[in-house]
């Protein structure tokens, strides 16, 4: 998709469709919308008065262009949440997604009062995301040429082309993250993810892949235990940007959970919706995609992406409840639930990242079902130590249109993870399990660290106005912005 900046007035822009945000405060219309409506011959007010668009019910409505040079006007709901990049990103996504399969090739997007660099960048990422079709990964023979039609060019009124050019690179990273997460487990297994990451050497990155013998020698038994039942052996993938070696006393490691398929192991999951567990690698997809994007935008950033990749499967070789393993940092873990596997692979991956010189850590994981139950599909929960480092991560999320919410790292729950046989159990009672999972991971970090649980936000369980069913590439833009801020010395921790 082409992203273009134009200084044209919305009443005179030439396009197939002009997307116009509608806000609750537009009752009555503000001056800007009233002027556009007058130029259009009153079609916007008429559509609202006739119920073709209801601010409380509709995400969008496609109406006639009236007296404007555009063929249609797309009214887009702008009040689902407050102003800024979050709203701009969703409006961009709704606008292009609403036109999938339609005849519009050129869309003009008017942000009205979200017109700053972050707002335009977020809208651009959203607009590209709205054209995403999961069916294009493998192809569907039933899809007609008309079904595959998408917006080819988006004109952002009042934007800076430099901002849009960078946003296009970031959007490409988000879409790649979605592809990686959406790919089936028989197509993208641990070794395949390593191959995908190795392609980043063309972007100047150094890619290291640890296989079972190397991980066994390093004592990564927490990670190896999870993967021992899978047909495909586990690997640990590390992507270092060119600036990693020059990082000195400030190096950022972004660590993503990479379970290519999660059956739950011996602690088997219910069959219902188990096919969605191919998305349990969304954290790994996000960190690798963020590394590729940063390599193309800011290669001197001292950033490393780490992706522990496994299959969590039942079978004769699989890890059993009651097994005791020793993690790389020397702590012993009693595995009471093999479906609490993500924290086990993160334990070794985070410690390994510290041995490589990481001074700051962020892990991204589809970790707990209770995160999805508590926060739904819009909000990702995070834990931080120290909290200032969490503030930096949250600020990066807000700047790119993602919604993170801090949860308490209640280390008082640590005693509930005590084991009579080992230093710690990997799973305790379900009450407070979102917090307990973070408390567990905290045992394996010594540097400033943030844990981000994306179990509810990593993928859509059905088609929505904002995104297609499947992976949404969550956290990718946040990690890119965090890497840029970290490289610029704007991160406080």
């Amino acid at each position: 998709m082409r992203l273009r900046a134009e200084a044209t007035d919305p009443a005179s822009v030439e396009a197939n469709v002009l997307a116009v945000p509608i806000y609750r405060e537009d009752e009555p219309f503000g001056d800007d919308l009233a002027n556009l409506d007058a130029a259009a011959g009153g079609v916007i007010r008429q559509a609202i008065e006739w119920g073709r668009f209801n601010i409380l019910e509709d995400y969008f409505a496609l109406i006639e262009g009236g007296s404007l040079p555009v063929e249609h006007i797309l009214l887009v709901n702008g009040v689902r949440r407050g102003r800024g990049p979050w709203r701009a990103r969703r409006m961009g996504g709704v606008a292009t997604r609403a036109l999938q399969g339609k005849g519009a090739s050129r869309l003009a997007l008017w942000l009205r009062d979200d017109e700053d660099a972050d707002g335009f960048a977020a809208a651009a990422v959203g607009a590209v995301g709205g054209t995403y079709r999961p069916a294009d990964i493998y192809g569907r023979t039933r899809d007609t040429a008309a079904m595959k039609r998408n917006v080819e060019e988006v004109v952002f009124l009042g934007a800076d082309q430099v901002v849009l050019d960078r946003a296009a690179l970031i959007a490409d990273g988000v879409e790649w993250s979605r592809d990686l997460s959406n790919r089936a487990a028989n197509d993208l297994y641990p070794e395949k993810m390593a191959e995908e990451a190795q392609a980043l050497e063309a972007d100047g990155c150094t890619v290291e892949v640890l296989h079972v013998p190397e991980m066994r020698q390093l004592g990564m038994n927490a990670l190896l235990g999870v993967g021992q039942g899978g047909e495909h052996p586990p690997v640990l993938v590390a992507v270092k940007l060119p600036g990693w070696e020059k990082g000195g006393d400030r190096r950022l490691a972004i660590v993503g959970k990479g379970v290519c398929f999660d059956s739950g192991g011996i602690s088997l999951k219910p069959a219902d919706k188990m096919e969605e567990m191919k998305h349990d690698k969304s954290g790994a997809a996000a960190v690798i995609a963020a590394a590729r994007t940063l390599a193309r935008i800011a290669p001197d950033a001292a950033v490393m992406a780490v992706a522990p990749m496994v299959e969590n499967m039942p079978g004769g070789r699989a890890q059993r409840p009651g097994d005791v393993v020793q993690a790389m940092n020397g702590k012993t873990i009693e595995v009471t639930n093999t479906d609490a596997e993500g924290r086990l692979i993160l334990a070794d991956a985070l410690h390994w990242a510290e041995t490589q010189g990481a001074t700051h850590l962020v892990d991204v994981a589809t970790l707990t079902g209770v995160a999805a139950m508590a926060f739904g599909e819009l909000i990702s929960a995070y834990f931080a130590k120290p909290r200032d480092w969490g503030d930096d991560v949250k600020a990066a999320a807000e700047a790119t249109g993602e919604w993170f919410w801090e949860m308490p790292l209640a280390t008082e729950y640590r005693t509930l993870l005590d084991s009579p046989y080992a230093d710690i159990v990997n799973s305790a009672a379900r009450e407070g399990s979102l917090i307990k999972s973070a408390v567990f991971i905290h045992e394996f970090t010594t540097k400033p660290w943030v844990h981000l649980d994306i179990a509810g936000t990593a993928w859509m369980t059905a088609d929505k106005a904002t995104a297609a069913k499947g992976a949404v590439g969550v956290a990718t833009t946040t990690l890119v912005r965090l890497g840029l801020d970290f490289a610029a010395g704007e991160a406080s921790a």
Side-chain angles (χ1 to χ4, degrees):
M1 174 191 282
R2 298 183 299 275
L3 307 178
R4 287 188 51 198
E6 284 191 9
T8 312
D9 182 270
S12 58
V13 67
E14 294 183 0
N16 299 118
V17 179
L18 170 64
V20 178
I22 302 296
Y23 307 131
R24 181 168 288 125
E25 58 266 28
D26 290 331
E27 300 172 2
F29 284 7
D31 289 342
D32 57 348
L33 187 58
N35 292 336
L36 178 68
D37 187 46
V43 295
I44 297 175
R45 187 181 300 275
Q46 185 183 62
I48 294 174
E49 290 176 350
W50 278 80
R52 294 180 63 186
F53 177 82
N54 187 316
I55 195 69
L56 299 178
E57 297 179 352
D58 300 318
Y59 275 99
F60 64 87
L62 189 64
I63 66 173
E64 299 77 10
S67 304
L68 300 182
V70 298
E71 299 168 26
H72 293 89
I73 298 171
L74 184 71
L75 305 181
V76 181
N77 194 315
V79 299
R80 298 291 181 177
R81 189 168 176 252
R83 300 178 179 180
W86 192 91
R87 182 171 72 178
R89 182 167 177 171
R90 288 173 68 80
M91 288 192 300
V94 169
T96 54
R97 183 157 169 72
L99 299 174
Q100 276 194 351
K102 306 295 192 296
S105 60
R106 179 178 163 93
L107 167 70
L109 181 59
W110 180 36
L111 290 186
R112 297 179 63 189
D113 59 355
D114 281 329
E115 295 179 355
D116 62 14
D118 286 342
F120 279 119
V125 170
V128 174
T131 67
Y132 184 82
R133 282 172 33 92
D136 291 340
I137 296 175
Y138 298 113
R140 289 190 311 208
T141 57
R142 66 179 175 86
D143 285 3
T144 65
M147 291 169 62
K148 296 178 182 179
R149 290 185 300 186
N150 247 322
V151 172
E152 299 173 3
E153 181 177 70
V154 180
V155 176
F156 294 83
L157 304 182
D160 184 327
Q161 189 63 49
V162 173
V163 170
L164 297 182
D165 289 344
R166 172 176 282 195
L169 293 173
I170 296 172
D172 181 67
V174 174
E175 302 316 286
W176 191 49
S177 173
R178 297 173 80 173
D179 280 348
L180 292 176
S181 181
N182 278 330
R183 285 171 60 180
N186 65 330
D187 171 36
L188 193 62
Y189 38 89
E191 308 101 305
K192 276 285 190 179
M193 182 66 100
E195 292 177 12
E196 293 286 348
Q198 285 171 325
L200 272 64
E201 292 176 347
D203 293 297
C205 297
T206 300
V207 182
E208 183 176 2
V209 180
L210 301 183
H211 297 278
V212 171
E214 295 95 331
M215 289 189 285
R216 184 173 290 122
Q217 186 174 7
L218 289 169
M220 292 185 177
N221 300 304
L223 192 162
L224 290 172
V226 174
Q228 69 189 42
E231 177 184 355
H232 298 280
V235 298
L236 184 135
V237 179
V239 179
K240 296 177 180 176
L241 267 67
W244 177 260
E245 299 301 334
K246 306 171 188 175
D249 60 355
R250 283 182 59 81
R251 296 178 179 176
L252 170 61
I254 50 178
V255 182
K257 174 187 172 183
V259 180
C260 294
F261 189 80
D262 182 19
S263 70
I266 297 297
S267 305
L268 193 67
K269 291 179 180 292
D272 185 44
K273 295 188 176 181
M274 193 189 286
E275 72 277 3
E276 294 178 354
M277 289 300 99
K278 67 180 182 179
H279 291 127
D280 215 16
K281 59 184 180 297
S282 294
V287 301
I288 292 174
R292 187 181 79 166
T293 305
L294 283 166
R296 296 175 179 184
I297 294 176
D300 289 336
V303 176
M304 171 177 65
V306 181
M309 305 302 305
V310 300
E311 293 177 330
N312 187 26
M313 299 293 289
R317 301 191 311 271
Q319 185 166 255
R320 296 146 296 216
D323 283 1
V324 175
V325 295
Q326 185 175 48
M328 185 181 176
N329 73 344
K331 293 186 179 182
T332 52
I333 305 167
E334 181 188 2
V335 180
T336 54
N337 184 345
T338 64
D339 194 26
E341 83 297 334
R343 64 203 69 180
L344 294 172
I345 67 174
L346 289 173
D348 279 342
L350 286 162
H351 180 73
W352 183 82
E354 289 192 12
T355 69
Q356 298 299 297
T359 63
H360 295 73
L361 303 163
V362 176
D363 79 71
V364 184
T366 48
L367 206 72
T368 63
V370 291
M373 293 170 63
F375 291 100
E377 65 188 34
L378 297 180
I379 307 167
S380 299
Y382 78 91
F383 300 79
K385 187 174 182 181
R387 293 184 68 189
D388 285 350
W389 178 228
D391 290 341
D392 290 338
V393 176
K394 183 178 181 181
E398 290 178 347
T400 65
E402 296 195 291
W403 193 351
F404 291 1
W405 195 266
E406 184 180 13
M407 293 291 288
L409 184 65
T411 52
E412 290 80 1
Y413 288 158
R414 171 60 184 85
T415 56
L416 300 178
L417 298 175
D418 284 343
S419 165
Y421 308 107
D423 292 314
I424 193 169
V425 297
N426 76 320
S427 180
R430 189 170 180 82
E431 294 79 9
S433 57
L434 173 60
I435 299 174
K436 291 173 189 173
S437 65
V439 171
F440 176 92
I441 298 170
H442 176 247
E443 288 285 306
F444 301 88
T445 63
T446 64
K447 306 296 184 183
W449 156 78
V450 164
H451 162 58
L452 182 65
D453 194 329
I454 59 170
T457 55
W459 69 90
M460 293 288 186
T461 57
D463 285 339
K464 299 291 180 70
T466 53
K469 179 179 180 179
V472 297
V474 70
T476 307
T477 58
T478 296
L479 296 174
V480 171
R481 179 59 174 258
L482 183 66
L484 294 172
D485 291 346
F486 197 81
E490 296 175 6
S492 59

